[in-house]
Amino acid sequence: MGVGTNGSIVTDSSGKQQTRGSAFDPRSFHSYTLDPASDLPSLLGTYAGPQADIGL
């Protein structure tokens, strides 16, 4: 069992896409809510990179 995809979206990709297999459920380890894949560009713009509130 390993990390897998759930609800992913792929655009403009030329590599092989692995879309089957089993994955662990992160909710087994901690509270977790899956964000919609379509929200990822906005989330990265907000949370990726230096963050003033953590001193970076």
Side-chain angles (χ1 to χ4, degrees), residues 22-44:
S22 62
F24 68 89
D25 184 347
R27 291 174 289 197
S28 299
F29 302 99
H30 54 86
S31 177
Y32 177 83
T33 301
L34 183 65
D35 292 309
S38 59
D39 288 353
L40 186 60
S42 175
L43 291 169
L44 286 173

Side-chain angles (χ1 to χ4, degrees), residues 6-22:
N6 185 348
S8 65
I9 54 176
V10 178
T11 59
D12 301 325
S13 178
S14 61
K16 179 182 176 184
Q17 302 300 313
Q18 183 67 32
T19 58
R20 52 177 199 236
S22 62

